[in-house]
């Protein structure tokens, strides 16, 4: 046999190319080279490219460690007589159907989401059985009567793989992918045994953990020009036969093919093992003895342990970035933690480096995949505001127009309708609001234009919403058809093309996934509508989207499998924790360790040896950085990988550990990278002083209270014109309740300004029902608001009956103004009175409705809450509509909260109170009309407003850290 090895500390593919050139010369172009992965194939093709820029004919290079059929067709003719493999999506759905039937037979309620996830576990278990060439019928050997009842139920469940699944596959005319891989490899073995190839065949870097692959390697080794090139095999390594040893996969391979370890020779052209090779051997030893390690063994090695993953990601990104300082140097991150890989990719973006994870991104996390899921979730939930906005704001949405116009429409919809309480009735409710907009419409697009645009979306979404909002099960094939119709409307641009949705790697995967899903759902049973998003998410999560080419020429992020045989000048291995590297050695959800051994499956501890072998494969890097964190992203403590523990133990003997560990300067660098710099000066209380022409000439009564409480807030709202946006899909609160009550009272008074109806309470209830109808879908309206309104209505009617007997005329919601001369400028003081009562003697009575806490007469008379007094001042000195310069008989506040006192009335000494208010108002307006006087933030602490959405503008948390008395506030009126 022709068996070779390349040391772990030697870059595998460059050494392989040197040996191939030395052994075969010009005949290399005739050779067939088999590697473990597609990534290794691409890297070898690049390594074969001549350095001088000339051309050469490359040999045929193929991967044999993957399941994809196109990677296994060593001889396409051998596949003609074999049944095709079943599509993975179809297989998942068929297995889920079997799971639900078993659940029904056992008396459990079937669940689509659970059955899909169990089907995934079953598929993986079935693949493992077929990879190890074990028939499901072998489950009978596990002697169920000797096991606990739980295991007996599990084995009874697994019998569907032996009884029902083969019949389903036969009806489909297909075989499982793992079985087809085995059949293809066996056919190739027979072909080469019967007709040995006349060209060199080289299998390089393959561990042969799959029995069919091992038989192919055995056949290659027996060929006249067959060669096996192993990575890092050392015949002198102790305990290599134990499953957890890093060289155990190679020892098992040699045993399978009947080779003597002494036959393994050094590969021609591979340089001698470096001192780090001594250190690599210690990783396989349970009690490593490193006293004989030279100092050169840690050259280029760094070990970093961080408190949390965030700091580890920052340091890792910094390592990769620092490698770019030298021309032509390459760097790579190797990790099994995809979330950590994404963290590092984001950290690299701060340096302007865009890099992809070669392990790929799940399809459901890509832009087209996320759009599919957003549409499904929104339709199932009847398009609530948050889900609707997430869908419409997706970067791939166009809606049949250019993206700029579409975005303007979505923003206008958000401003006009979706911020604040949720409209009732789903899409129809939104359309109703657009066709009958509120008087306070603030969106930058006219409501009729927005209604026409949104009507197109509603028409496209209605078929899917109708199907998914129903309580009855729906046919999945029909759901998919309507779902894709909505997505097509969303992604079509102004030219009628949806090419952007199917662009790039993720779009290409979606283009392949959707027809497969459509074919798989043809005969699927109806399912509950709520299960549709879960079904999509589970299926798309199993499909990785890998970049076609590296987005950065010198930096790569790789998974453990993708990193096999690949090299870089600087390699960062991250996530060296138990459960990640090596992965968990759990026996799985179906069998325990004893059952696996009885069935003939390999021990789960074999994963440890493969993980160790993959780790040693990274020791060829000139600079090797091993990174881990003491806690996981949830804050739970982690356990260091056994390989890292052994490495540190080996370095501790010769006192080399401290030299290999990162020093405190590294931690300081990472900490300083994101450290917030202290302010160079203390933030002072803001005191803006706009010019007089910018100061308002129109002030409302409610704004006077703001001016008294917080002048800076008045400045922000009135002069800067800033308004706090309501939350999306907000709960209906005090403001909405107040508006509804005011609308009911306004409609009641306008309908009956002079005489009351025959049934005044019933009339007021009718107006209240109309006003509250917009919020009827909120439970608090029925439970709290409506009973309180009914109690308040009874008190209002009692007061009305007494007042109408006086022969008054009632006016509702009238605006008034009083012009105040301030030198050469005139400032209008304005207000809107909820209710004006004109008495027979010509005097007026002013009533304001309050649905919150009603101010006391002391607060009103003391000018703490002067709104009602200002309305009286306007009635006396200005005009409310046709009522001008009227004598004020009474000011009243009615509580419509439906609890506590009903009213607060001011009538005694009212003229004196209004005279005092007039003097103070004129002083106040004159003071703030002077450009020398600032609008100080929270000028008077005793009347300070509670926290609101504007506090961050005044940076109140910074200047209130220490008590201070702002200069100049003593002069405020």
């Amino acid at each position: 046999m022709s068996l070779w090895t390349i040391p772990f500390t030697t870059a595998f593919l460059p050494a392989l190319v040197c040996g191939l050139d030395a052994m075969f010369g010009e005949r290399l172009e005739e050779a067939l080279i088999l590697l473990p992965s597609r990534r290794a194939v691409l890297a070898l093709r690049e390594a074969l490219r001549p350095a001088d820029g000339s051309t050469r004919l490359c040999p045929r290079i193929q991967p044999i460690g993957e399941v994809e059929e196109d990677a296994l067709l060593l001889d396409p003719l051998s596949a003609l007589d074999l049944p095709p493999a079943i599509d993975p999506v179809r297989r998942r759905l068929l297995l889920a159907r079997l799971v639900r039937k078993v659940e029904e037979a056992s008396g459990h309620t079937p669940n689509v989401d659970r059955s899909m996830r169990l089907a995934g576990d079953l598929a993986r278990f079935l693949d493992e059985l077929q990879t190890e060439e074990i028939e499901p019928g072998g489950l009978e050997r596990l002697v169920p009567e000797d096991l606990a009842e739980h295991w007996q139920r599990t084995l009874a469940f697994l019998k569907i793989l032996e009884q029902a699944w083969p019949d389903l596959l036969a009806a489909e005319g297909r075989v499982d992918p793992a079985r087809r891989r085995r059949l293809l490899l066996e056919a190739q073995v027979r072909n080469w045994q019967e007709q040995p190839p006349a060209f060199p065949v080289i299998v390089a870097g393959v561990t042969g953990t799959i029995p069919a692959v091992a038989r192919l390697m055995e056949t290659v080794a027996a060929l006249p020009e067959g060669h096996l090139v192993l990575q890092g095999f050392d015949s002198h390594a102790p305990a290599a036969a134990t499953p957890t040893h890093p060289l155990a996969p190679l020892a098992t391979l040699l045993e399978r093919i009947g080779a003597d370890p002494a036959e393994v020779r050094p590969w021609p052209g591979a340089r001698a093992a470096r001192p780090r090779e001594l250190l690599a051997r210690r990783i396989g030893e349970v009690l490593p003895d490193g006293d004989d390690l030279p100092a050169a063994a840690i050259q280029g090695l760094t070990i970093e342990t961080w408190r949390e993953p965030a700091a580890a990601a920052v340091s890792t990104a910094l390592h990769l970035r620092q490698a770019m300082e030298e021309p032509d140097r390459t760097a790579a991150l190797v990790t099994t933690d995809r979330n950590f890989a994404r963290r590092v990719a984001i950290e690299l973006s701060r340096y302007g480096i865009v890099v992809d994870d070669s392990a790929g991104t799940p399809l459901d996390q890509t832009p087209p995949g996320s759009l599919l899921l957003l549409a499904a979730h929104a339709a199932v939930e009847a398009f609530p505001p948050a889900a609707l906005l997430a869908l419409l704001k997706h970067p791939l949405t166009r809606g049949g127009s250019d993206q700029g116009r579409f975005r303007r429409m979505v923003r206008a919809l958000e401003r006009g309708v979706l911020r604040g309480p949720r409209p009732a009735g789903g899409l129809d409710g939104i359309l109703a609001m657009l066709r009958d907009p509120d008087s306070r419409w603030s969106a930058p697009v006219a409501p009729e234009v927005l209604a026409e645009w949104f009507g197109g979306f509603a028409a496209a979404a209605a078929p899917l919403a109708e199907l998914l909002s129903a309580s009855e099960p729906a046919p999945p094939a029909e759901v998919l058809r309507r779902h894709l119709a909505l997505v097509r409307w969303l992604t079509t641009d102004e030219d009628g093309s949806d090419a952007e949705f199917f662009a790039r790697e993720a779009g290409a995967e979606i283009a392949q996934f959707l027809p497969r899903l459509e074919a798989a759902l043809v005969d699927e049973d109806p399912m509950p509508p709520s299960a549709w998003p879960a079904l999509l998410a589970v299926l798309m999560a199993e499909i990785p989207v890998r970049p076609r080419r590296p987005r950065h020429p010198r930096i790569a992020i790789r998974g453990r499998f993708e990193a096999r045989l690949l090299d870089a000048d600087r390699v960062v291995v991250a996530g060296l924790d138990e459960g990640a590297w090596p992965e968990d050695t759990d026996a799985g959800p179906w069998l325990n360790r004893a059952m696996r051994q009885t069935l003939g499956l390999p021990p789960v501890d074999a994963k440890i040896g493969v993980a160790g072998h993959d780790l040693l494969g990274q020791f060829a890097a000139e600079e090797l950085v091993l990174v881990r964190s003491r806690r996981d992203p949830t804050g739970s403590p982690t356990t260091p990988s056994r390989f890292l523990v052994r490495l540190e133990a080996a370095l501790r003997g010769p006192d080399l550990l401290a030299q290999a560990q990162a020093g405190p300067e590294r931690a300081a660098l990472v900490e300083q990278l994101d450290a917030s710099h202290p302010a160079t000066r203390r933030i002072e209380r803001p005191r803006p002083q706009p010019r007089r022409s910018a100061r308002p000439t129109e002030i409302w009564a409610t704004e006077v209270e703001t001016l008294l409480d917080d002048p800076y807030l008045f400045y922000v709202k009135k002069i800067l014109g800033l308004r706090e946006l309501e939350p999306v899909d907000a709960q209906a609160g005090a403001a909405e309740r107040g508006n509804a009550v005011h609308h009911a009272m306004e409609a009641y008074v306008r309908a009956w300004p002079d005489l009351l109806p025959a049934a005044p309470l019933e009339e007021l209830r009718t107006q209240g029902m109309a006003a509250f109808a917009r919020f009827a879908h909120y439970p608090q309206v029925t439970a709290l608001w409506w009973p309180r309104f009914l109690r308040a209505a009874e008190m209002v009617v009692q007061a009305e009956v007494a007042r109408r007997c006086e022969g008054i005329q009632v006016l509702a919601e009238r605006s008034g103004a009083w012009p105040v001369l301030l030198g050469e400028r005139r400032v209008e003081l304005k207000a809107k009175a909820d209710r004006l009562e004109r008495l027979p003697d010509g005097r007026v009575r002013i009533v304001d409705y309050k649905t919150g806490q009603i101010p006391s007469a002391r607060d009103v008379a003391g000018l703490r809450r002067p709104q009602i007094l200002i309305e009286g001042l306007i009635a006396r000195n200005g005009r409310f509509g046709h009522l001008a310069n009227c004598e004020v008989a009474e000011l009243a506040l009615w509580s419509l909260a439906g609890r506590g006192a009903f009213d607060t009335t001011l009538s005694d000494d009212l003229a004196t109170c209004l005279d005092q208010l007039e003097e103070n108002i004129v002083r106040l307006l004159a003071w703030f009309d002077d450009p020398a006087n600032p609008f100080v933030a929270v000028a008077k602490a005793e009347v300070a407003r509670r926290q609101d959405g504007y506090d961050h503008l005044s940076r109140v948390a910074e200047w209130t850290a220490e008590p201070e008395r702002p200069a100049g506030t003593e002069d405020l009126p």
Side-chain angles (χ1 to χ4, degrees):
M1 290 186 178
S2 181
L3 304 177
W4 311 88
T5 183
I6 297 176
F8 280 123
T9 53
T10 299
F12 188 89
L13 293 181
L16 179 65
V17 171
C18 291
L20 291 173
D21 287 334
M23 292 178 63
F24 302 106
E26 295 183 355
R27 288 197 65 218
L28 180 59
E29 63 188 48
E30 305 172 5
L32 171 63
I33 303 176
L34 304 178
L35 298 177
S37 67
R38 295 174 184 268
R39 292 286 168 184
V41 168
L42 296 175
L44 181 58
R45 288 174 181 167
E46 189 67 24
L48 286 169
R49 181 176 299 175
D52 58 2
S54 60
T55 60
R56 70 180 297 179
L57 292 176
C58 285
R60 184 182 171 195
I61 310 173
Q62 285 188 248
I64 59 170
E66 299 178 353
V67 182
E68 286 82 355
E69 181 174 315
D70 59 343
L72 295 171
L73 291 180
L74 303 177
D75 182 6
L77 295 178
S78 64
L80 295 179
D81 298 331
L82 299 177
I86 188 171
D87 181 77
V89 174
R90 177 68 173 171
R91 181 168 79 147
R92 188 74 169 264
L93 291 170
L94 290 176
L95 285 172
R97 187 187 304 176
L98 290 179
V99 170
R100 290 194 294 273
K101 288 181 178 179
V102 172
E103 289 179 335
E104 289 178 357
S106 59
H108 296 86
T109 303
N111 180 279
V112 175
D113 186 14
R114 183 176 63 244
S115 67
M116 289 294 294
R117 298 185 188 281
L118 280 174
D121 292 333
L122 271 178
R124 284 184 284 273
F125 180 63
L126 186 60
D127 286 341
E128 185 179 14
L129 290 178
Q130 294 180 349
T131 297
E132 298 298 329
E133 304 175 7
I134 298 173
E135 294 299 326
L139 294 170
E140 296 292 342
R141 301 199 307 269
L142 299 184
V143 195
E145 60 272 13
D146 294 343
L147 301 175
E149 182 181 354
H150 161 72
W151 291 112
Q152 293 180 24
R153 290 198 303 268
T154 300
L155 292 176
F157 181 80
L158 289 178
K159 286 184 178 179
I160 63 177
L161 299 180
E162 175 189 359
Q163 299 172 357
W165 181 241
D167 294 338
L168 273 178
L169 275 181
E172 296 281 325
R174 308 275 173 165
V175 295
D176 286 303
R179 182 182 295 275
R180 180 171 172 84
R181 174 180 61 183
R182 191 185 81 187
L183 295 175
L184 286 170
L185 292 174
E186 289 176 347
Q188 186 62 60
V189 167
R190 288 194 300 270
N191 290 342
W192 280 348
Q193 288 176 345
E194 295 171 1
Q195 297 180 352
F199 50 82
V201 179
I202 303 99
V203 181
V206 180
T207 56
T209 54
I210 299 175
V213 173
R215 286 196 297 273
L216 179 69
M217 296 175 69
E218 180 182 7
T219 302
V220 170
L223 293 176
E225 292 189 271
H227 304 272
L228 301 186
V229 184
L230 309 180
Q231 184 184 25
F233 183 77
D234 184 356
S235 59
H236 304 292
T242 61
T244 60
H245 194 280
L247 296 184
L250 300 183
T252 303
L253 171 65
L254 295 179
E255 182 180 352
R256 279 179 172 175
I257 66 176
D260 186 351
E263 298 181 50
V264 181
R265 296 169 291 170
W267 178 250
R271 66 180 182 180
R274 295 156 55 191
R276 194 185 291 174
E277 188 78 18
L278 299 175
L279 184 59
R281 292 176 182 173
R282 301 298 192 275
I283 290 183
E285 300 174 7
V286 178
L287 298 174
D289 181 10
D291 291 341
D292 59 339
L293 284 177
I298 63 169
Q299 184 176 356
L301 175 67
T302 304
I303 301 174
E304 295 183 3
T305 302
W306 299 93
R307 185 177 183 275
E308 56 187 12
V314 172
S315 178
T316 299
L318 196 56
H319 276 298
L320 300 178
R321 171 64 181 85
Q322 288 171 332
M324 298 298 98
E325 296 295 330
E326 301 181 32
D328 300 326
R329 284 184 65 81
T330 58
L333 165 65
V334 181
T335 180
T336 60
D337 188 345
R338 305 274 59 84
N339 289 327
F340 185 83
R342 283 190 283 271
R343 276 178 180 261
V344 174
I346 293 172
E347 290 293 338
L348 283 171
S349 64
R350 78 163 78 197
Y351 309 115
I353 297 175
V354 180
V355 61
D356 284 323
D357 185 357
S358 65
T361 303
L363 183 58
D364 62 317
Q365 298 179 24
T366 63
S370 64
L371 179 61
L372 281 175
L373 287 181
L374 285 173
H377 282 290
V380 166
E381 299 166 14
F383 294 96
L388 178 60
L389 280 178
L391 176 62
L392 295 179
K393 288 187 175 184
H394 193 280
L396 291 179
T397 53
R398 302 291 189 276
S401 63
D402 66 276
Q403 196 172 40
R405 180 179 182 274
F406 190 83
R407 292 288 176 267
R408 287 193 299 273
M409 291 297 183
V410 174
R411 287 193 291 268
L413 181 70
E414 177 183 354
R415 286 284 301 273
V417 179
L418 300 183
R419 285 194 173 271
R422 177 189 300 189
L427 298 179
D428 292 337
I430 294 175
L431 273 174
M433 289 189 65
L434 290 173
R435 290 166 180 162
D436 186 18
D438 191 275
S439 59
R440 298 175 294 124
W441 181 263
S442 59
V445 178
E448 57 272 12
V449 176
L450 199 57
E452 181 181 358
W453 167 82
F454 188 75
F457 169 77
L464 179 63
E466 178 184 358
L467 197 61
L468 292 185
S469 60
S471 58
E472 296 297 323
E478 179 63 17
V479 174
L480 177 63
R481 187 185 67 80
R482 299 189 186 190
H483 189 176
L484 293 183
L486 172 59
V487 171
R488 191 173 297 111
W489 185 93
L490 287 169
T491 57
T492 300
D493 60 18
E494 65 272 24
D495 298 325
S497 170
D498 58 356
E500 186 66 20
F501 181 70
F502 296 105
R504 292 172 286 278
E505 294 91 343
E509 288 291 346
I510 280 285
Q512 295 179 14
F513 168 71
L514 291 178
R516 291 162 50 202
L517 178 61
E518 186 176 8
L521 291 175
V522 169
D523 58 347
E524 192 69 16
D525 297 332
M527 65 176 59
S530 59
W532 178 246
L535 183 144
L536 281 179
V538 169
L539 292 177
M540 289 195 293
E542 298 290 331
I543 302 175
V545 178
R546 295 186 175 92
R548 295 172 182 170
R549 59 184 61 86
R551 296 185 66 179
H552 195 282
R554 296 164 58 196
I555 296 181
I557 299 179
R558 301 166 181 157
R560 205 184 78 193
F561 183 76
E562 289 79 19
R564 288 182 180 178
L565 310 187
L566 304 185
D567 64 284
D569 298 316
R570 175 179 293 183
V571 173
V572 182
V573 179
L576 288 173
D577 301 313
E578 288 291 306
W581 200 319
E583 59 191 314
D584 284 327
T585 56
D586 181 32
W590 307 115
L591 305 178
N592 58 27
R593 289 174 177 254
M595 291 177 180
R596 291 177 60 90
Q597 183 177 1
T598 302
L599 194 59
L601 289 171
V604 292
D605 290 341
K607 300 177 184 177
I608 299 175
V610 175
H613 187 273
D614 292 342
L615 176 61
L616 293 182
Q618 308 308 315
F619 271 54
E622 293 183 17
E623 298 178 49
L624 179 63
V625 185
L626 307 180
V627 176
R628 69 170 297 266
S629 57
R630 295 189 182 93
R631 296 188 179 275
D632 63 17
T634 66
S636 302
T638 60
T639 302
S641 168
R642 66 191 70 198
F643 305 126
L644 185 59
V645 171
R646 294 171 185 175
L647 185 66
E648 291 179 344
L651 294 176
R652 195 173 287 112
D655 293 330
L656 296 176
L657 181 59
Q659 300 178 40
Q661 290 175 329
E665 63 279 357
R666 184 71 186 183
L669 178 61
V670 170
E671 183 178 355
Q672 292 172 7
L673 196 62
D674 284 328
S676 58
H677 300 285
T680 57
R681 61 182 177 84
R682 186 178 182 275
I683 299 299
E684 299 293 337
R685 187 190 302 251
R687 13 175 43 91
Q689 295 175 260
R691 62 185 184 276
R692 174 171 287 180
S693 61
R695 301 193 177 215
T697 58
E698 180 184 280
I699 299 177
W700 289 80
T702 54
E703 295 171 342
V704 172
E705 294 187 6
T706 304
L707 198 56
L708 289 170
D709 290 351
D710 190 349
Y712 182 81
L713 183 58
F714 175 89
Y715 164 77
V716 168
K717 288 184 173 182
K718 191 71 176 178
I719 298 178
L720 297 184
L722 301 181
R723 293 289 182 270
E724 180 185 9
L725 292 176
E726 292 185 88
V728 174
D729 198 9
Q731 284 292 321
E736 288 72 31
R737 176 169 173 258
N739 290 336
V741 171
H742 276 70
H743 289 162
M745 291 298 299
E746 179 185 359
Y748 175 72
V749 171
R750 288 189 186 277
W752 307 95
D754 299 315
L755 299 176
L756 290 177
L761 184 58
E762 290 301 322
E763 177 67 20
L764 186 52
R765 285 179 177 175
T766 301
Q767 298 295 347
M769 292 175 64
F772 280 81
R774 179 182 174 187
F775 309 105
H777 56 293
Y778 286 96
Q780 65 264 35
V781 174
T782 304
L784 299 175
W785 293 12
W786 185 244
R788 291 178 181 176
F789 176 78
L790 293 180
R791 289 195 294 269
E794 293 178 359
M795 292 185 282
V796 167
V797 169
Q798 291 176 7
E800 281 276 41
V801 171
R803 288 173 181 267
R804 297 297 179 100
C805 292
E806 301 174 5
I808 63 174
Q809 180 188 18
V810 184
L811 307 175
E813 298 292 339
R814 295 301 173 94
S815 296
W818 169 40
V820 180
L821 293 177
L822 303 175
E824 299 178 355
R825 274 168 54 92
R826 187 177 78 166
V827 176
E828 275 197 337
L829 189 63
K830 305 182 74 173
K832 176 178 280 190
D834 293 334
R835 177 187 179 106
L836 281 171
E837 297 178 358
R838 187 177 184 182
L839 305 181
D841 58 5
R843 296 183 301 165
V844 298
R845 180 188 291 136
I846 302 176
V847 179
D848 261 5
Y849 308 138
K850 299 295 181 184
T851 53
Q853 183 176 2
I854 189 170
S856 65
R858 178 180 179 181
D859 286 343
V860 176
L863 307 184
R864 294 281 301 277
R865 291 292 176 259
Q867 178 183 348
I868 187 68
L869 284 175
I870 294 175
E871 293 174 11
L873 200 59
I874 293 174
R876 189 180 74 170
N877 298 346
R879 66 171 53 245
F880 276 100
H882 66 281
L883 303 178
N885 304 112
C886 299
E887 181 182 352
V888 181
E890 183 180 278
L891 302 175
L893 296 169
W894 285 4
S895 174
L896 303 184
R899 58 188 178 188
F902 174 65
D903 65 350
T904 295
T905 303
L906 294 177
S907 57
D908 298 336
D909 204 15
L910 189 55
T912 302
C913 192
L914 290 177
D915 290 339
Q916 180 184 357
L917 173 65
E918 180 176 352
E919 179 184 352
N920 288 337
I921 284 291
V922 172
R923 285 182 57 214
L924 180 73
L925 298 181
W927 198 91
F928 280 107
D929 195 57
D930 187 347
N933 295 326
F935 291 86
V936 182
V938 196
K940 295 183 179 180
E942 65 273 13
V943 291
R945 293 175 56 82
R946 289 178 292 182
Q947 291 183 351
D948 54 40
Y950 297 87
D951 286 344
H952 65 287
L953 298 177
S954 64
R955 302 171 71 173
V956 65
E958 298 179 51
W959 51 263
T960 56
E962 298 178 9
E964 67 163 349
R965 181 175 179 79
T969 55
E970 64 274 2
D971 297 330
L972 289 175

